Amino acid sequence: MTARTDAFGATTHDVDDDTPVLNAVGGDWDDLVDEATALHEERIVVNMGPQHPSTHGVLRLILELDGETVTEARAGIGYLHTGIEKNMEFRTWTQGVTFCTRMDYVMPLFNEAVYCLSVEKLLGITDQIPARAQAIRVLLMELNRITSHLVCLATGGMEMGATTVMTIGFRERERILRIFEAITGLRMNHAYIRPGGVASDLPAGTIDQVRENLPLVRKGIGELEALLNENPVLKGRMCDVGYLDLTGCMALGMTGPVLRATGLPHDLRKSDPYCGYETYDFEVPVRDTSDAYARYRLRVDEMYQSLRIVEQVIQRLDENPGPVMVEDKKIAWPAQLAVGSDGQGNSLDHIREIMGESMESLIHHFKLVTEGFRVPPGQAYAAIESPKGELGCHTVSDGGTRPYRAHFRDPSFNNLQAVAAMAEGGSVADVIVAVASIDPVMGGVDR
Amino acid sequence: MSDDKKPDAPSAEATTTDAVTPGELVETTTVGEPIKIAERKGMFGSSLGNDTSGYGGLNRPVFFPGTAGKPYGGYFDALTDALEVALARNGGSYEVAVERVVVDRGELTLFVPREQLPLVARTLRDEPTLRFEQCLSVSGVHYPQDTDRELHAVYHFVSITNGSKRVRVEVAVPDSDPHLPSIVETYPGVDWHERETWDMFGIIFDGHPALTRILMPDDWPGHPQRKDYPLGGIPVEYKGATVPPPSDRRSYK
């Protein structure tokens, strides 16, 4: 048989000569089952995905089934590989933000933040970042943590057939996306956090918008809790499903909610603070049942803690009008961009200066914007606590204006390895719950 | 670090050595000669040779930070000392296993010869004073001009028990013999990371349970993250048909 007719290579690999092989690509399931029954062969390999509504994008799960029980599970990835890391080597350090924000599109601001922290470490300007820029980063990251957890719960609920969870989750997420749109101009793929600070200051009125929406979001999360926490159907689906204990987490390099659901309070915001997290008052929630239900409850707890941080940070932003970009003019974006009365993001003062007053300013602007700043040779690794676990960025510079290498340690990429440990021995329906409890986003996994 | 930052500071070791805050530059007393790793040509480093800046003839060496001398600062001294003792106990030798120590930008990098990597990894994980429970990532870097050390595999370890301490281990292999022992046996979590590094750089991890491509298609030729691999311009074969690269699809180009 040629590869053309046997698309999955089922007849060419790992098969004993006397094992009958049925290759089902479409057709009537009942016919296949009848045929399999006639052959007394119970072992069925099912390709779940890559196009499947409950695999979080384009995840391919290869499940070996014995009846309804999963005896072996493997995850196949790479269907969303877009070469972001390679592309970043061909753009300036500042332009890199625009690429990496597209990796895990559910937590774009974390991708930007970790990349910028890594570049700032390479530049040696970590302690020169203005406090207001750090506070804005914290504000955006914590709001983004809430949206990411809401997406996890909403899609996870929908995969179990609970559409109300989905509608509530996305309704609350929408409130925060509107805040993002007001601040960065976009609902996702913001490219707002830049090496040295953030692209522009908060537009007028956004703090009030955050303040107005916080109680509403809190109420919405409360609604989710009232609907789900003691819901017998949900508990029946989630309790003791997708179990992975602390030993398993440590061996597989798991971080984030999966690790904290085993009872270990490991959170980089506490153990390795960045962006001034050590100055905020919050707790690291933990659960100890190590199952999908624990991870769900933990995410809800974390959302409340994020709201707590947001309340503190908007207080500080009120008090601190300071700059939002590092002072060094060799690194900082030349224009102080702000939304003007015409609704456009130009800085008329800056245009007057470079076009009408100072030739040197024009040259400086041109050099910095087209060529970019240079970063001293060496390498750096920055890590932050993303909603899914440790998000790391390893950047290497050769002294030029573009990254020599940018590598992202995406938590979803690492955590997806645990699918086999979580799903094997359970039923097919539990695979969906286990995968949803890891909260993988394929944009980040495949990069 | 204050006490309230770690809700369950797990051991006494965590408090005996003071941690370095991320980003803090550790000033080492003696630093060896910087290591020349490449030479940059031109102003913008255009790979096509069409540097229009007028500086196309520029040749500038790229120097990476040199070997650090003791004391390294922060917890790095305690870490390397503990590693030295533990390696000796495990039948290894620190002088052999760590060929170079670099302290740069508040981060500790140990350069390890490839045959010593499994021993170093196991020691980092099992030694109580080190206890690096997790290997977070394996990242490849390609330095085409670093003769006989073209391909680097960079491992990042974290010790949660000892208060989120970090160490980077870097292993260099020649392009002509890109073999490296796998550490999946010690850290099962690096399985996919090593597969990605094989996929993107062509570093062969000996002893890996299933070293196959992970992001690129199984039959893909070449390793895309290498410096000599172009960005774009590669036709893709799909189900017998050939899809030209986007830059070649238009007749009016």
Side-chain angles (χ1 to χ4, degrees), chain A residues 77 85-86 89 121-122 251 254 272 371 376-377 379 381 390 394 402 404-405 409 414 417 447, chain B residues 40 44-45 63 105 107 134 136 139-140 142 166 170 189 191-193 196 214 224-227 229:
Chain A
I77 62 168
E85 290 172 2
K86 179 85 174 174
E89 293 170 11
K121 211 174 192 181
L122 272 177
M254 307 290 282
D272 224 349
E371 188 185 337
Q379 55 183 333
Y381 179 82
E390 170 162 343
H394 175 224
R402 297 176 300 189
Y404 189 74
R405 166 89 167 119
R409 189 263 182 204
N414 188 87
Q417 295 181 95
R447 300 182 303 283
Chain B
R40 289 165 48 80
F44 295 95
F63 287 112
R105 296 167 165 97
E107 295 178 338
Q134 295 190 329
L136 290 165
S139 159
H142 186 205
R166 285 169 192 278
E170 192 160 339
D191 182 339
W192 282 16
H193 298 277
E196 187 192 339
I214 186 165
Q225 284 274 16
R226 289 190 183 215
K227 287 291 172 188
Y229 195 95

Side-chain angles (χ1 to χ4, degrees), chain A residues 160-341:
Chain A
M160 289 187 289
T163 37
T164 315
V165 186
M166 191 270 286
T167 51
I168 294 178
F170 278 102
R171 185 190 71 203
E172 298 310 318
R173 175 174 182 255
E174 201 61 29
R175 298 186 204 283
I176 298 175
L177 289 192
R178 279 197 285 266
I179 296 172
F180 286 162
E181 192 174 1
I183 293 176
T184 71
L186 293 163
R187 290 153 51 87
M188 61 195 296
N189 304 338
H190 311 280
Y192 177 73
I193 300 174
R194 303 273 175 87
V198 296
S200 61
D201 205 349
L202 299 177
T206 40
I207 294 291
D208 292 333
Q209 192 186 352
V210 176
R211 202 167 271 137
E212 280 162 27
N213 278 291
L214 280 188
L216 299 172
V217 174
R218 189 182 293 275
K219 188 159 162 268
I221 300 170
E223 253 178 75
L224 270 180
E225 275 204 294
L227 178 66
L228 297 175
N229 276 5
E230 297 304 325
N231 187 322
V233 180
L234 180 104
K235 288 182 86 169
R237 288 296 306 275
M238 288 187 124
C239 285
D240 300 327
V241 170
Y243 183 86
L244 189 70
D245 63 4
L246 182 58
T247 316
C249 283
M250 279 300 165
L252 291 170
M254 307 290 282
T255 44
V258 182
L259 179 60
R260 287 192 287 275
T262 66
L264 184 76
H266 175 58
D267 189 319
L268 295 178
R269 292 175 293 172
K270 290 281 188 194
S271 65
D272 224 349
Y274 49 91
C275 293
Y277 267 111
E278 66 275 16
T279 58
Y280 295 93
D281 186 23
F282 67 102
E283 279 151 28
V284 179
V286 284
R287 297 270 160 179
D288 55 7
T289 48
S290 314
D291 56 3
Y293 182 70
R295 288 167 210 143
Y296 149 68
R297 291 294 297 267
L298 187 86
R299 291 200 170 94
V300 174
D301 294 345
E302 285 191 0
M303 285 195 274
Y304 284 121
Q305 294 299 325
S306 293
L307 287 173
R308 203 170 145 194
I309 298 173
V310 171
E311 276 161 9
Q312 295 169 46
V313 78
I314 54 178
Q315 193 84 30
R316 286 188 205 184
L317 286 169
D318 272 343
E319 292 158 6
N320 181 0
V324 294
M325 191 41 110
V326 68
E327 245 176 56
D328 188 350
K329 288 292 173 203
K330 293 284 180 193
I331 294 168
W333 200 249
Q336 304 298 313
L337 297 176
V339 180
S341 53

